[in-house]
Amino acid sequence: MSLSGEFPKPLGDGVTLELTTAAVAAEAFALVEAERERLREWLPWVDQTTDVAVQRAYLEGVERANREETGAHVTIRMGTTLAGFAELRVAPLLRSGEVGYWLSERAVGCGVMTRAVAALIDLGFGLFDLHRVQLQAATGNTRSRAVAERLGMVFEGIRREAEELPKGFVDLAVYSTLVQEWPGADRAIAQARP
């Protein structure tokens, strides 16, 4: 099994995950630019994303990581429209990983990120043979925290002032799931629905 063999991955309702390439730099920057104020509330990198060249340089790095299978960075599409990104950062010596993500305003509240994160957790426990996957979110970012909670991830605690955002340092809530606890993406999503 290889990373490229896993994608594109349909998630239902016209949502698809694709391996990220630098070819989406202009499209990604346009989305960041259009939603800059909303995104900067919770994402520390937004103010440094100043033009397409900066976006392209970052995406060239994740494209290389995807090619080398040192992690997985995916583009989230709703139909043909870019709706955001998600990634699984891998620490192979620790057999652990961490998911991170952001989503366009139009895609928020549709269950898109819950499905994307579940797919990345499956990938972590499958292709990358991880033992643990974690998710961290600012304590005040209730939407992001809800993704972890819907998927049944265990709340481990708070990392005090662990991330600097434009408004200052914020505490991060830490969630995790272990390979023996994870029911698989399909089951986790089914359990998440009321």
Side-chain angles (χ1 to χ4, degrees), residues 9-12 114-123 125 150-151 182-193:
K9 185 173 195 61
L11 299 181
T114 301
R115 289 178 276 164
V117 168
L120 287 179
I121 293 172
D122 267 4
L123 192 67
F125 292 142
R150 276 194 297 275
L151 291 173
W182 182 243
D186 292 341
R187 195 157 162 218
I189 291 165
Q191 291 170 351
R193 294 190 175 131

Side-chain angles (χ1 to χ4, degrees), residues 1-135:
M1 181 165 68
S2 72
L3 189 57
S4 61
E6 295 291 314
F7 299 96
K9 185 173 195 61
L11 299 181
D13 302 321
V15 177
T16 306
L17 301 181
E18 303 170 351
L19 282 178
T20 302
T21 69
V24 301
E27 190 179 12
F29 179 73
L31 184 54
V32 170
E33 190 67 10
E35 299 194 20
R36 186 171 294 279
E37 284 308 307
R38 184 184 70 84
L39 293 172
R40 76 187 299 268
E41 181 179 8
W42 301 118
L43 300 170
W45 51 262
V46 173
D47 288 345
Q48 286 73 47
T49 306
T50 55
D51 57 34
V52 175
V54 170
Q55 184 74 62
R56 183 174 292 107
Y58 171 72
L59 293 178
E60 286 169 352
V62 297
E63 183 175 1
R64 187 171 41 258
N66 281 345
R67 199 170 41 252
E68 295 169 358
E69 296 190 356
T70 57
H73 193 286
V74 295
T75 300
I76 303 167
R77 293 207 176 267
M78 294 179 74
T80 59
T81 304
L82 186 137
F85 293 98
E87 69 178 324
L88 174 66
R89 296 178 293 274
V90 174
L93 289 177
L94 303 175
R95 289 190 58 209
S96 67
E98 181 173 2
V99 291
Y101 46 84
W102 66 272
L103 202 56
S104 68
E105 188 168 20
R106 74 181 281 266
V108 169
C110 302
V112 171
M113 198 51 75
T114 301
R115 289 178 276 164
V117 168
L120 287 179
I121 293 172
D122 267 4
L123 192 67
F125 292 142
L127 178 66
F128 291 104
D129 192 32
L130 300 180
H131 178 74
R132 178 181 189 277
V133 174
Q134 77 174 20
L135 184 159

